Amino acid sequence: MSVRYAVAAPAAVHASAQAAGVDAYTLTAARFWATSVALLGLAGLVIGKMALTRSARRIGDGGRRQAIVALVAGLIAVVGGALNLAVADGGPGTGNGVVGGALALVLGLIATVLGRLALARSRRTTAPADQPTG
């Protein structure tokens, strides 16, 4: 039975030392990265929604540039959020940016889908008149 307690003691010390050093308002490097990638995903989502609206109205270039920006921002947010979740060694509240990484992953996926839909719709609306669109 002494082996069981010897293995559990270092794990408990590590968990208590990690939780004591980081509180809810401490901005760690991982939290900063996760927050910035989540904000990029949010920006991609807003731009993707604007591009989708513009492609439906057929104004200008049909939102093609905005769709590409939303697509790229969404992909960067997905990759950044996934990397942050992959290297995190604790759960929420440990200072590893787990919540921000998950939020970045979700917002990035939505931004990517919106950007892709707007890009497909802008290609249909900007097709030359002599070629069939469908």
Side-chain angles (χ1 to χ4, degrees), residues 6-84:
V7 174
V13 170
H14 175 69
S16 67
Q18 190 175 19
V22 178
D23 63 352
Y25 299 106
T26 303
L27 184 63
T28 62
R31 282 183 179 169
F32 178 74
W33 173 256
T35 303
S36 60
V37 176
L39 287 174
L40 181 66
L42 181 64
L45 187 141
V46 169
I47 293 170
K49 177 65 177 155
M50 288 172 33
L52 197 58
T53 303
R54 179 171 277 191
S55 68
R57 291 184 190 164
R58 301 167 197 245
I59 298 172
D61 66 347
R64 184 170 168 80
R65 264 187 243 143
Q66 288 178 335
I68 292 171
V69 168
L71 193 62
V72 170
L75 288 174
I76 292 172
V78 166
V79 170
L83 283 175
N84 193 18

